[in-house]
Amino acid sequence: MVVSAAGLVVGDCGAQTSGGDHQTGHPSGAAILNTTTPADLLAAFTHAGLAVPNAHDVGPQKCPRIGCVDAVDTDTVSILKFPSTGEAELYAASVPRMFQIEDVVLVFSAAVSPGATQAYEQVAKRTIR
């Protein structure tokens, strides 16, 4: 388990075990683009002073339906991690007010201004590795 700066407990969905077995929704043998989790992004947003109120893990509810491997919702932004860039792109194309980078999609609440959206995007770009 990973505990973010905001106190949210999120499962470590980026880890893989040896022998091709996996603990995530990543297909066995699939290349992992980055190890950044929604909890990592949540912590980075908090550290940057960006609002992420009422953060909660929604992976078990959302991911089976939309194909993500991990998800966190806040009142300002939803952070979704997908098993591949292609799957992230497909999901991103279906939702408004989003930002996609590699296998991560951020979906912004209507209350987030365009300027604030850019701030979240910049933090995400620096954080995803």
Side-chain angles (χ1 to χ4, degrees):
M1 289 289 191
V2 176
V3 179
S4 76
L8 173 70
V9 177
V10 180
D12 183 11
C13 291
Q16 287 193 326
T17 59
S18 62
D21 293 333
H22 54 85
Q23 298 174 341
T24 70
H26 291 284
S28 184
I32 298 175
L33 292 175
N34 64 70
T35 59
T36 306
T37 66
D40 294 335
L41 284 166
L42 186 68
F45 294 151
T46 300
H47 182 75
L50 298 171
V52 284
N54 300 315
H56 55 286
D57 181 1
V58 293
Q61 297 83 24
K62 279 190 173 182
C63 290
R65 183 172 37 89
I66 64 173
C68 58
V69 295
D70 198 4
V72 171
D73 276 354
T74 76
D75 290 350
T76 53
V77 62
S78 294
I79 309 164
L80 306 144
K81 173 93 170 178
F82 288 85
S84 71
T85 297
E87 290 177 73
E89 288 172 349
L90 288 172
Y91 180 76
S94 72
V95 294
R97 299 187 47 82
M98 70 79 208
F99 174 72
Q100 187 238 330
I101 181 169
E102 293 188 14
D103 57 353
V104 174
V105 176
L106 304 178
V107 181
F108 299 100
S109 127
V112 179
S113 72
T117 297
Q118 289 179 344
Y120 287 95
E121 291 172 5
Q122 291 303 312
V123 170
K125 287 177 189 176
R126 288 191 310 266
T127 304
I128 293 176
R129 50 196 183 291

